[in-house]
Amino acid sequence: MPYNPALVAPMREEMTRMGARELTTVSEVDAALGDQQGTMLVFVNSVCGCAAGNARPALRLALQHGVRPQQVVTVFAGQDVDAAARARQYFAEYQPSSPSVALLRDGEVVHFVHRHQIEGRSPQAIAADLTAAFDRFFAAVA
Amino acid sequence: MSGHVFHPGHQELHGVTVVLETHGPRTYVGRFDSEDARGVHLHDVGVHDASAGGQSREEFVRRCDKFGIRPEHRDLLVPAADVAKITRLVDLVR
């Protein structure tokens, strides 16, 4: 059952403040991820403070890096249930977890960060991993 | 909400994905909930059974890290007597 919208509103705002575009419906997900071109980061948001509480600031830090995805979108697991499920169909090779991060290039998942790779780590450490992935997979098209 | 924790007062590994090795052939990978006199409570648990053949335990753990955990149990209690070692998944694969 989704949390009270008022409770999660700050978690949504944290994402949109850093420039992420929220995808809250299946059609919005399909419009963004279907026939995706260029580079994109998909952040699967979560209410879990143990992991998402560090993942969101990590992403904010990572997006200040010189090389970054051309588009940043987010779905909210457990809140926008249908949209999150649809987004996960675009990276179905990977088991669902939240928070998580998928890096896509021309519709192909080139890197995936699972919840277990976020848990218990500092935002700086998570951001360092993300920026390394940006450099590796996005530098040529940034 | 940066750094906000919804689970105050829980054990250190609460919410963390761990590899639980047993004294038998089974290895579990899942999210640690708690430990009490009965054993270790895990959520969303993948299982490797070395007696069943197939991929090695190391390959199973490596695939869990890369592709995520395919849960066979939503909730699982591993009896205390069976628990040999608990390690964070990220520590085991790095």
Side-chain angles (χ1 to χ4, degrees):
Chain A
M1 175 180 294
Y3 284 78
N4 183 326
L7 182 70
V8 302
M11 303 170 191
R12 294 184 185 277
E13 290 166 8
E14 190 173 352
M15 293 304 302
T16 54
R17 274 202 310 273
M18 69 178 84
R21 180 161 53 96
E22 271 202 296
L23 309 175
T24 60
T25 66
V26 169
S27 59
E28 287 177 355
V29 170
D30 284 341
L33 296 180
D35 195 29
Q36 186 266 327
Q37 300 292 314
T39 61
M40 173 182 279
L41 182 150
V42 183
F43 183 82
V44 181
N45 205 353
S46 165
V47 295
C48 178
C50 293
N54 284 348
R56 288 187 297 267
L59 181 57
R60 180 170 45 79
L61 286 172
L63 291 176
Q64 296 169 18
H65 188 56
V67 178
R68 50 166 290 167
Q70 293 164 328
Q71 296 184 73
V72 180
V73 299
T74 180
V75 293
F76 210 134
Q79 299 299 307
D80 302 320
V81 176
D82 292 341
R86 185 61 154 198
R88 283 167 166 157
Q89 290 179 3
Y90 287 90
F91 29 88
E93 185 180 15
Y94 299 87
Q95 294 291 327
S97 68
S98 59
S100 58
V101 181
L103 303 186
L104 285 77
R105 189 174 59 202
D106 297 334
E108 179 190 358
V109 179
V110 293
H111 187 72
F112 200 93
V113 181
H114 296 277
R115 173 197 163 101
H116 72 262
Q117 294 159 332
I118 294 169
E119 296 160 345
R121 303 183 68 214
S122 71
Q124 290 77 15
I126 301 163
D129 283 356
L130 283 171
T131 55
F134 294 170
D135 287 337
R136 179 177 177 191
F137 297 108
F138 291 167
V141 288
Chain B
M1 299 299 284
S2 301
H4 183 84
V5 174
F6 275 176
H7 317 297
H10 282 282
Q11 296 166 336
E12 180 188 359
L13 287 175
H14 177 79
V16 172
T17 302
V18 298
V19 178
L20 189 156
E21 298 173 53
T22 69
H23 295 295
R26 291 193 167 192
T27 297
Y28 302 100
V29 180
R31 208 166 64 254
F32 186 99
D33 182 280
S34 58
E35 184 171 14
D36 57 26
R38 291 191 299 154
V40 175
H41 301 260
L42 300 173
H43 298 301
D44 301 326
V45 185
V47 183
H48 178 262
D49 188 341
S51 66
Q55 66 183 342
S56 67
R57 186 185 73 92
E58 290 71 22
E59 175 65 8
F60 169 75
V61 171
R62 191 195 68 76
R63 289 187 63 83
C64 284
D65 180 55
K66 181 173 175 57
F67 296 106
I69 298 142
R70 187 172 63 82
E72 297 182 33
H73 302 277
R74 179 76 175 157
D75 304 294
L76 182 72
L77 168 63
V78 182
D82 293 350
V83 178
K85 186 179 180 184
I86 301 174
T87 312
R88 290 173 187 251
L89 173 57
V90 290
D91 290 342
L92 207 57
V93 296
R94 296 294 182 266

